[in-house]
């Protein structure tokens, strides 16, 4: 592919040089700050050979290229009169991004970053609640037994103490002290306070404290931690370093706990209860209409990122009402995206398209919709419309039978059917039927409408590469693009630490396997070594991301931490350069793990294969803890 011509096409399709305020690139994509995003021709860009996808995120216009992005970037800059000055200043790029960032984008980013890390805890607890309900319904467990009491406590614990869990996550996202946040939440949930407010309103220093219940709530503590982050930072700025440890937490807690009890908590409770009650009223009085609208538009919400705003509503409904109506509609929408892709597979006459459509349809049924949605349905347009219609039809069925979710199960797909488990088995049956109706409807509509197959996507487009929306630059070496027949490849651990599934990585690009498949490691030491024998083909200047290609052709990404690109290289010390030949165990990077975490960033590190289209599967070595150079997984050809 002619990279010069591709760069010229991209320059034209983003609205020309005069529409570009800043441009930079990360490991896989060009990141534009455009003066007017509407001037960019997204539809044509998506179908341009060499472009894997187009996204808008945080005000940035992003063109996904893949591993060739440095070459395309250099050609692009060479075709601009501004030359290398375009996007070369990190300060300027940061300013450009900040200028484009709006409050809605910031809110969705905050909600996503706050709730993603805690999902494993509430998912596990929710599954236990579902299992207990099944055992009781089958008569295998008595509600008066000590076993029932203990299991119920395990299931209810994460929800009862949800404000403390959320306080830690929110404080970390806001860059404030997570332990002060936990102490704030513990203060308002202390048994003495709970007992005091059970008797009605009380007072503090002559000011009324309104009676409110804080266990299992979401909004009060989120607002409190948000305000506390400003209080803590303000106190920190005016306090001498010699007494900060004593003064900052003391003053922050003395201000924020009473303020939360007096004003923030009652207001947050009113908002939370109002949202949960409003959703319940809507589905009680206009269930079918609401289900059609939400089921039919859920995929659009996911594309824009607005679905993150539903997370606190879903959790709030389950914790206060015991059930939720929105999760079943997400289930219908996801299965409808699967139906759209399956319809493409049934109608297509292109072998590559068939293979991609059926494989992405299967992943959508399992709850991972992005490959089907971006790689198939949106590319051909009509299948995406069919998927929206299928979501509405499946949603209507859910609405007719008022299907509810009783627990939060993580993936909203086949593995998550436990969400519908309740003492009434009919809820589970109706939930599954609603999903089947959605997938069948979308499949039939896609098959009937048909689609234009002129620009058949290449296999690599099945999982468009993605990264957190923060600019970074890379140094790169030429990569051999000649694809030999793939071979099985053993991947050894680049770090010592705990092995985690990608679903626990607090970034959808990794957790939903959009970038590729593999595992993540929570490191306990501050260095990364080569997991393969091969070549370093790219190294971000910020040091947080390393791209490698093995001698047999497996392309890998080691991404140290999430959003750590914002550190601009601080705490990272690269030990190799792009183009270096490496063997298993050679040191690639040293980093100060403790300082990175003190700065408010997680160091969880995805270790993924980015060219999975050449392989069949990944086989885990089955380890939960691991040391450098131990086998972590095998890529099966």
């Amino acid at each position: 592919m002619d990279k010069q011509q591709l760069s010229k096409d991209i320059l034209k399709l983003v609205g020309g040089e005069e529409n570009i305020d800043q441009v930079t690139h990360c490991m896989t994509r060009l990141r534009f700050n455009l003066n007017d995003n509407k001037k960019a021709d997204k539809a044509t860009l998506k179908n341009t050979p060499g472009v894997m996808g187009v996204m808008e995120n945080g005000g940035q216009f992003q063109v996904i290229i893949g591993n060739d992005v440095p070459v395309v970037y250099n050609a692009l800059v060479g075709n601009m009169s501004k030359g290398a000055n375009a996007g070369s200043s990190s300060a300027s790029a940061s300013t450009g991004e900040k200028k484009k960032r709006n409050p809605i984008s910031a809110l969705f980013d905050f909600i996503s970053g706050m709730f993603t890390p805690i999902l494993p805890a509430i998912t596990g607890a929710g599954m236990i609640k579902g299992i207990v309900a099944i055992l009781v319904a089958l008569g295998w467990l008595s509600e008066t037994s000590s076993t029932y009491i203990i299991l119920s406590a395990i299931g209810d614990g994460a929800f009862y103490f949800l404000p403390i869990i959320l306080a830690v996550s929110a404080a970390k996202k806001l860059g404030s002290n997570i332990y002060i946040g936990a102490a704030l939440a513990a203060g308002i949930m202390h048994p003495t306070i709970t007992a005091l407010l059970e008797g009605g309103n009380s007072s503090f220093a002559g000011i009324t404290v309104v009676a409110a219940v804080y266990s299992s709530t979401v909004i009060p503590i989120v607002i409190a931690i948000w305000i506390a982050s400003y209080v803590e930072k303000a106190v920190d700025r005016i306090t001498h370093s010699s007494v900060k440890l004593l003064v900052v937490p003391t003053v922050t807690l003395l201000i924020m706990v009473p303020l939360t009890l007096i004003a923030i908590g009652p207001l947050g409770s009113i908002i939370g209860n109002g949202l949960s009650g409003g959703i319940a009223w809507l589905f009680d009085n206009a269930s079918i209409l609401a289900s059609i609208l939400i089921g039919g538009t859920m995929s659009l919400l996911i594309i824009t990122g607005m679905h993150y705003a539903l997370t606190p509503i879903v959790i709030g409904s389950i914790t206060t009402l015991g059930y939720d109506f929105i999760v079943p509609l997400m289930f219908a929408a996801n299965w409808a995206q699967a139906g759209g892709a399956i319809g493409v597979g049934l109608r297509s006459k292109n072998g590559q398209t068939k293979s991609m459509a059926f494989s992405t349809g299967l992943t959508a049924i399992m709850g991972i919709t992005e490959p089907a949605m971006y790689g198939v349905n949106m590319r051909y347009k009509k299948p995406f419309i069919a998927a929206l219609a299928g979501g509405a039809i499946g949603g209507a069925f859910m609405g007719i039978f008022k299907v509810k979710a009783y627990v939060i199960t993580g993936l909203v797909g086949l593995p998550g059917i436990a969400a519908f488990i309740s003492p009434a088995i009919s809820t589970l049956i109706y939930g599954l039927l609603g999903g089947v109706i959605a997938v069948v409807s979308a499949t039939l509509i896609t098959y009937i409408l048909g689609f234009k197959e002129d620009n058949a996507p290449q296999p690599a487009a099945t999982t468009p590469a993605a990264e957190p929306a923060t600019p970074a630059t890379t140094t790169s070496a030429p990569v051999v693009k000649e694809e030999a027949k793939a071979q099985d490849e053993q991947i050894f651990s680049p770090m010592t630490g705990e092995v985690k599934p990608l679903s626990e990585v607090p970034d959808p690009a990794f957790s939903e396997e959009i970038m590729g498949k593999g595992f993540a490691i929570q490191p306990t030491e501050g260095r990364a070594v080569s997991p393969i024998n091969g070549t370093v083909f790219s190294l971000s200047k910020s040091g947080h991301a390393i791209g490698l290609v093995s001698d047999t052709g497996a392309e890998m990404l080691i991404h140290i931490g999430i959003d750590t690109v914002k550190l601009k290289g601080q705490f990272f010390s690269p030990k190799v350069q792009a183009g270096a030949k490496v063997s298993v165990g050679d040191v690639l990077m040293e980093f100060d793990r403790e300082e990175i975490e003190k700065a408010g960033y997680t160091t969880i590190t995805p270790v993924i294969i980015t060219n999975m289209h050449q392989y069949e599967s990944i086989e885990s070595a089955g380890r939960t803890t691991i040391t450098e150079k131990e086998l972590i997984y095998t890529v099966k050809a």
Side-chain angles (χ1 to χ4, degrees):
M1 183 183 300
D2 187 342
K3 303 299 188 298
Q4 277 287 346
Q5 185 58 50
L6 176 59
S7 69
K8 291 178 182 178
D9 292 341
I10 293 173
L11 184 60
K12 177 182 177 181
L13 293 171
V14 297
E17 182 177 351
E18 64 277 4
N19 194 37
I20 299 175
D21 179 33
Q22 296 288 338
V23 59
T24 184
H25 74 91
C26 59
M27 293 287 286
T28 58
R29 62 184 64 190
L30 297 169
R31 297 174 179 272
F32 293 92
N33 293 107
L34 301 179
N35 296 318
D36 185 355
N37 285 4
K38 293 180 181 178
K39 291 183 179 180
D41 188 346
K42 290 178 66 175
T44 305
L45 264 173
K46 289 178 180 178
N47 291 313
T48 299
V51 174
M52 298 174 69
V54 178
M55 295 177 66
E56 291 184 59
N57 197 328
Q60 282 190 334
F61 189 88
Q62 303 171 10
V63 181
I64 304 168
I65 303 296
N67 294 330
D68 288 328
V69 69
V71 180
V72 177
Y73 171 79
N74 290 333
L76 177 77
V77 171
N79 289 324
M80 297 172 62
S81 61
K82 297 177 185 178
N85 290 328
S88 62
S89 165
S90 59
S92 179
S94 298
T95 302
E97 183 180 3
K98 186 174 181 180
K99 179 184 72 175
K100 295 288 183 179
R101 191 173 177 84
N102 59 61
I104 300 299
S105 295
L107 176 62
F108 292 158
D109 176 68
F110 171 62
I111 294 173
S112 170
M114 175 177 55
F115 279 100
T116 300
I118 73 168
L119 285 178
I122 57 179
T123 295
M127 287 295 292
I128 292 170
K129 288 169 67 73
I131 291 170
V132 170
I134 293 174
L135 295 176
V136 171
L138 294 174
W140 295 350
L141 185 65
S142 169
E143 293 183 347
T144 60
S145 69
S146 58
T147 301
Y148 171 84
I149 293 171
I150 292 172
L151 287 175
S152 296
I154 296 172
D156 290 334
F159 292 97
Y160 184 87
F161 293 104
L162 184 62
I164 297 177
I165 298 173
L166 269 175
V168 172
S169 186
K172 188 170 186 178
K173 178 65 179 175
L174 293 168
S176 53
N177 189 294
I178 61 174
Y179 302 106
I180 295 177
L184 195 167
I188 65 173
M189 292 187 65
H190 193 280
T192 303
I193 299 294
T194 302
L196 177 68
L197 297 181
E198 282 179 351
N201 293 352
S202 187
S203 66
F204 175 80
I207 304 173
T208 300
V209 175
V210 178
V213 176
Y214 295 107
S215 60
S216 303
T217 58
V218 173
I219 294 179
I221 194 62
V222 171
I223 298 175
I225 295 298
W226 175 60
I227 296 174
S229 69
Y230 288 97
V231 173
E232 179 188 338
K233 291 169 186 175
V235 176
D236 183 81
R237 279 195 301 270
I238 62 175
T239 304
H240 191 273
S241 58
S242 63
V243 292
K244 280 186 178 183
L245 181 62
L246 176 66
V247 173
V248 174
T250 302
V251 174
T252 302
L253 290 173
L254 280 176
I255 292 174
M256 288 308 306
V257 173
L259 181 62
T260 301
L261 292 172
I262 292 168
I264 299 171
L267 175 62
S269 295
I270 292 171
I271 296 173
N273 292 335
L275 286 172
S276 298
I279 292 292
W281 180 89
L282 179 64
F283 280 91
D284 284 340
N285 293 276
S287 178
I288 299 175
L289 178 61
S291 298
I292 291 173
L293 289 175
I294 297 175
T297 61
M298 183 59 67
S299 294
L300 296 174
L301 296 180
I302 292 172
I303 291 171
T304 61
M306 292 177 65
H307 64 297
Y308 288 123
L310 300 175
T311 305
I313 297 175
V314 169
I315 294 177
S317 294
I318 289 177
T319 54
T320 58
L321 302 176
Y323 56 83
D324 167 72
F325 288 105
I326 295 176
V327 169
L329 303 177
M330 292 181 177
F331 185 81
N334 285 358
W335 275 34
Q337 289 295 331
I342 292 170
V344 170
L346 291 173
R347 176 134 186 173
S348 174
K349 297 179 180 180
N350 182 290
Q352 287 185 347
T353 302
K354 279 182 175 292
S355 175
M356 179 173 63
F358 286 132
S359 63
T360 58
L362 178 60
T363 60
I365 286 176
M366 300 305 289
I368 303 170
T369 59
E370 279 74 7
M373 188 158 59
Y374 291 111
V376 179
N377 297 340
M378 291 180 67
R379 182 174 288 272
Y380 295 124
K381 300 180 180 64
K382 287 183 180 179
F384 184 70
I385 295 172
L388 297 182
I393 294 170
F397 181 87
M398 299 282 198
I400 291 172
F401 291 97
K402 295 189 175 180
V403 179
K404 305 178 182 71
Y406 296 90
V407 296
I408 296 172
T409 57
L411 288 178
V412 186
L414 190 59
I417 59 172
F420 305 130
I421 294 174
S422 73
I425 193 66
S426 59
T427 303
L428 174 61
I429 294 173
Y430 290 140
L432 283 171
L433 283 175
V436 171
I437 289 170
V439 72
V440 171
S441 299
T443 300
L444 291 175
I445 295 171
T446 299
Y447 195 86
I448 292 169
L449 291 179
F451 53 92
K452 190 175 181 180
E453 203 173 351
D454 292 341
N455 292 303
Q458 298 302 310
T462 60
T463 52
E467 284 194 6
T470 307
T473 54
T474 61
T475 57
S476 302
V479 178
V480 177
K481 282 299 181 180
E482 185 178 339
E483 291 189 357
K485 184 176 179 181
Q487 303 176 29
D488 287 2
E489 179 85 46
Q490 288 188 319
I491 307 300
F492 298 92
S493 177
M495 296 175 170
T496 296
E498 295 182 57
V499 180
K500 304 284 188 180
L502 287 180
S503 59
E504 293 190 20
V505 178
D507 187 301
F510 296 109
S511 63
E512 297 174 5
E513 298 185 337
I514 298 173
M515 293 190 66
K517 293 186 178 182
F519 287 86
I521 298 173
Q522 184 67 59
T524 55
E525 298 178 3
R527 77 171 190 171
V529 303
S530 177
I532 46 100
N533 297 324
T535 304
V536 178
F537 71 75
S538 61
L539 175 67
S540 66
K541 290 185 178 179
S542 56
H544 74 292
I546 306 163
L548 304 104
V549 58
S550 75
D551 291 338
T552 61
E555 297 176 11
M556 297 192 63
L557 175 67
I558 301 173
H559 198 284
I560 304 172
I562 301 302
D563 283 339
T564 44
V565 64
K566 295 177 182 177
L567 293 171
K568 300 178 181 178
Q570 189 179 13
F571 310 130
F572 290 92
S573 178
K575 301 302 178 185
V576 293
Q577 295 180 341
K581 292 289 292 183
V582 292
S583 300
V584 173
D586 289 351
V587 179
L588 303 175
M589 177 73 61
E590 292 182 353
F591 55 95
D592 194 326
R593 181 179 60 84
E594 293 181 353
E595 288 299 322
I596 292 172
E597 292 175 350
K598 284 181 183 177
Y601 299 91
T602 177
T603 53
I604 192 169
T605 299
V607 181
I608 60 174
I609 302 296
T610 56
N611 61 333
M612 275 303 299
H613 62 281
Q614 292 182 242
Y615 297 91
E616 291 293 329
S617 63
I618 281 180
E619 184 179 284
S620 171
R623 292 183 170 91
T624 55
T625 59
I626 202 163
T627 59
E628 291 176 0
K629 299 189 289 183
E630 283 189 320
L631 182 67
I632 183 171
Y633 60 84
T634 301
V635 192
K636 308 294 286 186

